[in-house]
Amino acid sequence: MTAEKASNNEATTAMEPYSVFTRPEKWCIIAMVSYAAWFSTLSSFIYYPALPALAITLGVSISDINLTVTTYMAVATIAPSLVGDAADILGRRMVYLIILSVYCVANLAIALTQSYLALLGLRVLQALAISGGGLTFAAGWPWIFWFLCIASGSCLLSMVFFLPETSRSIVGNGSIRPPKHLQLPVPLLMCHWKDNHVAAAFRWRVPNPLKSLAILVRKDNAIVILACGFLYVVYTCINASLSTLFISIYKLNQWEAGLIYLPFGLGGVTSTFISGRLLDQAYRRSRLEQGLSIDKVVGDDLDNFHIEKARLRVIWIPMALTACSVVAFGWVLNYHQVRLSLFEQNV
């Protein structure tokens, strides 16, 4: 009898869909979450071209303004460890609404501030929650943050009305009724539970920011994260100094300083199409060399396959190109600076 019951439970689990949300609903959720994720990168790239203008307006040095970049990046690094565990407890919908509200208010406050210390503190608040030189050139640097405030406000509004709770610890595959505070204002919108279903019980515990650090216990994870961290530091340092250096050396205006960030965006978009295919080809080639099959439906058994080695086969050339391009970038800037100094002395 017990075996029969267990068999029925396994059959029910096998027939249960992973998600009860329809395809249009899934696309709606993906669009809103992608829109919200966009602000993390946008908050940095829209800010970089305005650094020289901010230094002049607030009457501080470039080094002081660069400190706002440093604090933003430091807090943005720590914030995910806080938000991730909080989303498991409070629900993803609630966390999105809270952080977007904080982000929107922070941008509004920055747009109205004329104080360096206020800017420094509000950038921390902005990072805790989450290319555009044209705005600075046309309307001044405050419009950077007016734009971010308006954009994040529209994203917040769409999530209030259309983003359902998707945390599996709360709603499972979407068929379990969430607590009242996690339900959409419109009762029948994205509602896949029956009226007689009892809402999931809310279990509170204090979020643990150190929980995500457990991934660093494994040496391979720690090495990968450390290596990616070094690359990201170089990437951030170049972006933060780019507008300042180009305005100083090549006498660009704010509009032109904003345009120099376009190659980063174009390169990022292009790499998403190229890097994924390179990794897939390396993975497929490595499995075939070891006589292992590839099952796209069920998934491959990775217990006897070193996926890290497969990926390392294609990483060396991009890494070498990255190192060479950074060295060449620094050499060109330094050479141009020396040439300008000699020219000014002769004049």
Side-chain angles (χ1 to χ4, degrees):
M1 191 70 179
T2 306
E4 182 179 350
K5 186 177 180 180
S7 177
N8 291 335
N9 289 338
E10 289 177 2
T12 303
T13 304
M15 294 173 59
E16 199 174 74
Y18 184 80
S19 174
V20 296
F21 292 107
T22 64
R23 189 175 181 84
E25 289 173 345
K26 290 177 182 177
W27 277 110
C28 180
I29 294 170
I30 291 171
M32 286 186 289
V33 172
S34 300
Y35 187 15
W38 179 55
F39 292 111
S40 178
T41 303
L42 184 64
S43 298
S44 298
F45 274 89
I46 203 172
Y47 185 67
Y48 293 145
L51 296 182
L54 277 165
I56 295 172
T57 302
L58 300 179
V60 295
S61 65
I62 289 294
S63 299
D64 291 333
I65 293 297
N66 285 339
L67 187 59
T68 65
V69 177
T70 305
T71 53
Y72 177 89
M73 297 305 300
V75 176
T77 302
I78 301 171
S81 63
L82 298 170
V83 174
D85 195 41
D88 294 334
I89 301 170
L90 303 175
R92 295 171 182 170
R93 172 178 165 81
M94 181 59 64
V95 169
Y96 267 115
L97 297 184
I98 292 173
I99 61 176
L100 276 173
S101 299
V102 173
Y103 180 80
C104 185
V105 171
N107 281 306
L108 176 61
I110 293 175
L112 296 172
T113 189
Q114 292 295 324
S115 166
Y116 168 72
L117 292 178
L119 174 66
L120 186 62
L122 290 168
R123 282 289 284 178
V124 171
L125 186 63
Q126 187 188 46
L128 187 61
I130 304 276
S131 146
L135 280 175
T136 307
F137 178 75
W141 67 264
W143 266 100
I144 290 177
F145 301 101
W146 281 117
F147 169 77
L148 290 175
C149 179
I150 294 169
S152 60
S154 66
C155 181
L156 174 62
L157 195 63
S158 66
M159 286 190 165
V160 168
F161 290 99
F162 301 112
L163 182 67
E165 180 54 54
T166 58
S167 176
R168 299 187 73 82
S169 62
I170 298 176
V171 298
N173 63 355
S175 60
I176 301 175
R177 180 195 291 268
K180 186 67 176 178
H181 66 281
L182 294 179
Q183 296 178 19
L184 294 178
V186 182
L188 299 179
L189 192 63
M190 297 194 193
C191 174
H192 295 280
W193 58 84
K194 296 180 181 178
D195 292 334
N196 58 354
H197 281 183
V198 180
F202 177 71
R203 293 187 292 272
W204 165 257
R205 65 176 174 84
V206 178
N208 182 9
L210 302 178
K211 190 175 180 180
S212 60
L213 298 180
I215 193 174
L216 297 176
V217 174
R218 290 187 50 170
K219 291 184 292 184
D220 52 349
N221 290 336
I223 292 172
V224 170
I225 292 175
L226 183 63
C228 292
F230 281 130
L231 283 177
Y232 194 70
V233 166
V234 173
Y235 180 74
T236 303
C237 290
I238 290 176
N239 285 324
S241 61
L242 205 58
S243 61
T244 304
L245 291 172
F246 273 57
I247 289 175
S248 173
I249 298 174
Y250 300 104
K251 311 304 178 185
L252 304 183
N253 58 34
Q254 291 295 328
W255 169 253
E256 293 167 335
L259 293 179
I260 63 179
Y261 288 93
L262 287 179
F264 287 93
L266 295 175
V269 172
T270 305
S271 66
T272 58
F273 294 99
I274 298 176
S275 58
R277 292 185 178 182
L278 288 175
L279 291 172
D280 289 343
Q281 290 176 0
Y283 174 81
R284 191 180 301 109
R285 192 181 306 116
S286 296
R287 288 192 69 87
L288 293 176
E289 288 176 357
Q290 298 181 32
L292 300 173
S293 61
I294 300 175
D295 194 335
K296 295 183 178 180
V297 178
V298 180
D300 300 328
D301 180 17
L302 301 180
D303 292 337
N304 299 316
F305 177 70
H306 298 291
I307 189 172
E308 298 85 0
K309 292 183 179 180
R311 290 177 172 174
L312 285 173
R313 297 176 64 168
V314 295
I315 198 64
W316 302 114
I317 294 178
M319 285 287 290
L321 290 175
T322 300
C324 292
S325 62
V326 171
V327 172
F329 172 75
W331 181 85
V332 169
L333 286 182
N334 184 66
Y335 177 78
H336 194 88
Q337 284 180 322
V338 171
R339 193 161 66 107
L340 282 179
S341 301
L342 291 175
F343 176 76
E344 290 171 356
Q345 289 178 0
N346 291 332
V347 172

